[in-house]
Amino acid sequence: MAVIDKMMPVRRGRNKFSLPNHSANDNKFLKKLFWYHLLLSFVYYIYSVFNRSDSHFYYEKIVTGFRGPDWSSFYGTSTTFIEWTGYPFIKWLGFSFEAIMALFAFFGFLGFIYFYRFFRERIFFKNTYAGFDLLHLFFLLPNLHFWSGSFGKGAFIFLGIGLLFYGLNNIPKRYWVLLIGALLTYHIRPHILLVILASSLIGFTFSSKGVGWGVKIVMILIAAMALGFIYKDVLNMVGLETDTVLTEGLNMSNRAAELSKATSGLDITTMSLPMQVFTFLFRPLFFDAPGMLGIIVSFENVFLLFITLIFLFKGGILYIIKGDFAVKTAFFSFITVSIALAQISGNLGIAIRQKSQIMMLFLFIIIQMYDDKKKEVFKSRRKTVNQRETLIRE
């Protein structure tokens, strides 16, 4: 855990009107978060023992050499990349199923560290809800830990997005972090990288503060080259042929119908788009919970729905319009991925798992709004104090 101690930034205040120093509390919280994540990763392992999960299939395909005789046979995007990553640990180092599960749980925890660093660099004040630190409360949501604590795509996509946004917060000094995050996200979900790149472009273009035209031009060129590189892979991920997209459009109704055939499925093809997005983000809600796991997730969904309504009633939409680059990028990434996945996640179980990949971005926007409002009050008070001190000296 000494690594965590070195990673957290230190803010030193000279008087009561300086920004607070959170470093000591951050270190303590991250150490506790590690054990919390480990606990929920173990819960997932127990769940996988009684409910055969994708983790077992990944492991078995590596052991049996399903894709070929050597490591290179497993290389690819999506599922194959998970198998390719696990291959040397399982084949060469003899990792058991439990060992590879623990390793990927650690990868998932690294995602929490980088997301937390991204949040903390921008969140200065303690924002409370019902007496609880809202920042800590967001990072304790169990669904995030449950799906990022196993041998599978959840751990890597969570880490990849965390690296991306941490890198985007300081591109000149963290371009290597940004590159690693982009490569990792591309190999798991090319279409999500596509969305984040496009959202970054929009965020830079429409943010008026602190972004020079030189950086904007560089981002436009990078986004254009990356979009061209992963275009075909994105279409393959949703089962479409490249030459039919422009003529037929993105018709996902067939895939949605297939997913809705499961026991926890919903026929979303008859729903309006707003209802599809609502279903993806906030259901199940007790009355349609698929089993015990669905009931547990329903508690979290009620909380998310509640804080979303508060956010909207307190001017959340206007805040997003006026927000800076990070806010706009997070919002466009969140809403675009949500709309896309909502149209194919007819199965509630799939929706529960997939929304955990991008929910942190919306939670960031919420807490950033609260923090910016406190920052305005802070600046106003500091200005008043400075004016008083100037009058006294005169």
Side-chain angles (χ1 to χ4, degrees):
M1 305 306 292
V3 176
I4 297 176
D5 295 335
K6 297 178 182 179
M7 295 176 79
M8 299 310 302
V10 177
R11 301 189 185 92
R12 302 190 183 279
R14 292 177 294 180
N15 55 59
K16 65 180 181 179
F17 291 102
S18 298
L19 293 175
N21 178 4
H22 296 287
S23 58
N25 289 333
D26 288 337
N27 292 333
K28 291 179 181 178
F29 175 72
L30 283 176
K31 290 173 183 178
K32 293 177 181 178
L33 189 69
F34 172 80
W35 296 109
Y36 180 76
H37 179 74
L38 188 63
L39 173 63
L40 287 176
S41 299
F42 180 72
V43 171
Y44 182 92
Y45 168 73
I46 298 299
Y47 169 80
S48 69
V49 170
F50 297 97
N51 301 271
R52 199 151 180 83
S53 66
D54 290 341
S55 301
H56 287 95
F57 296 113
Y58 299 148
Y59 186 82
E60 290 173 358
K61 282 190 284 187
I62 295 172
V63 171
T64 60
F66 176 79
R67 298 192 185 277
D70 53 29
W71 189 22
S72 61
S73 304
F74 285 79
Y75 180 75
T77 57
S78 190
T79 298
T80 53
F81 182 72
I82 298 300
E83 297 164 2
W84 180 81
T85 306
Y87 186 96
F89 296 99
I90 296 171
K91 279 287 192 178
W92 300 344
L93 300 179
F95 271 36
S96 64
F97 177 71
E98 289 75 16
I100 199 69
M101 289 282 281
L103 177 64
F104 271 70
F106 176 71
F107 290 148
F109 179 68
L110 290 179
F112 280 97
I113 289 180
Y114 279 99
F115 263 119
Y116 194 86
R117 295 183 69 180
F118 168 62
F119 274 59
R120 181 49 81 196
E121 284 185 345
R122 300 181 56 87
I123 306 301
F124 293 92
F125 299 94
K126 184 175 182 180
N127 302 274
T128 58
Y129 171 77
F132 295 97
D133 188 325
L134 202 56
L135 177 61
H136 292 176
L137 198 59
F138 285 167
F139 274 80
L140 290 174
L141 292 176
N143 196 46
L144 301 176
H145 294 269
F146 186 80
W147 295 111
S148 62
S150 64
F151 181 34
K153 289 176 280 191
F156 266 179
I157 191 63
F158 193 76
L159 173 58
I161 296 175
L163 288 168
L164 275 173
F165 276 85
Y166 177 69
L168 285 171
N169 206 37
N170 193 343
I171 297 175
K173 293 183 178 180
R174 298 176 186 160
Y175 61 89
W176 61 273
V177 176
L178 192 63
L179 179 61
I180 294 173
L183 288 173
L184 194 57
T185 305
Y186 164 75
H187 279 92
I188 306 300
R189 298 283 190 219
H191 51 295
I192 289 183
L193 177 61
L194 170 72
V195 168
I196 292 177
L197 288 175
S199 299
S200 300
L201 176 61
I202 295 172
F204 271 116
T205 304
F206 292 97
S207 297
S208 58
K209 297 180 181 179
V211 181
W213 276 105
V215 178
K216 289 182 181 180
I217 293 173
V218 171
M219 282 300 298
I220 291 173
L221 292 175
I222 292 175
M225 289 187 293
L227 291 178
F229 180 69
I230 68 174
Y231 175 66
K232 290 185 178 180
D233 282 332
V234 172
L235 298 178
N236 290 333
M237 288 291 290
V238 294
L240 297 171
E241 295 294 335
T242 307
D243 57 358
T244 63
V245 174
L246 296 178
T247 57
E248 298 180 11
L250 293 175
N251 184 1
M252 299 183 180
S253 58
N254 291 336
R255 189 171 180 185
E258 290 177 2
L259 292 175
S260 67
K261 293 176 182 178
T263 55
S264 58
L266 289 173
D267 184 10
I268 66 171
T269 58
T270 59
M271 297 181 184
S272 63
L273 180 60
M275 191 61 192
Q276 289 176 338
V277 175
F278 179 86
T279 299
F280 175 74
L281 294 176
F282 303 115
R283 292 173 71 178
L285 289 171
F286 296 112
F287 63 88
D288 56 3
M292 182 56 66
L293 179 61
I295 294 175
I296 295 173
V297 173
S298 294
F299 285 99
E300 183 175 318
N301 285 340
V302 169
F303 170 73
L304 292 174
L305 180 58
F306 183 69
I307 62 172
T308 299
L309 292 175
I310 294 177
F311 171 76
L312 294 175
F313 286 135
K314 289 192 174 183
I317 296 178
L318 182 61
Y319 173 75
I320 292 172
I321 294 173
K322 295 182 178 179
D324 62 10
F325 159 70
V327 171
K328 284 187 170 67
T329 300
F331 173 73
F332 284 115
S333 298
F334 167 77
I335 196 64
T336 306
V337 173
S338 296
I339 291 173
L341 293 179
Q343 296 179 69
I344 62 173
S345 297
N347 185 296
L348 278 180
I350 294 176
I352 291 170
R353 181 175 59 197
Q354 290 186 333
K355 77 175 180 181
S356 65
Q357 301 170 6
I358 43 89
M359 185 54 71
M360 287 296 287
L361 301 181
F362 184 57
L363 297 178
F364 159 72
I365 297 170
I366 292 175
I367 197 169
Q368 182 74 76
M369 183 184 75
Y370 292 142
D371 202 73
D372 283 348
K373 288 183 177 181
K374 284 192 174 184
K375 197 178 298 181
E376 291 177 2
V377 175
F378 168 82
K379 289 180 180 179
S380 177
R381 290 179 178 177
R382 186 168 60 179
K383 182 178 180 180
T384 301
V385 170
N386 291 337
Q387 289 175 344
R388 289 177 180 176
E389 291 178 349
T390 301
L391 290 173
I392 291 173
R393 285 195 297 269
E394 294 177 349

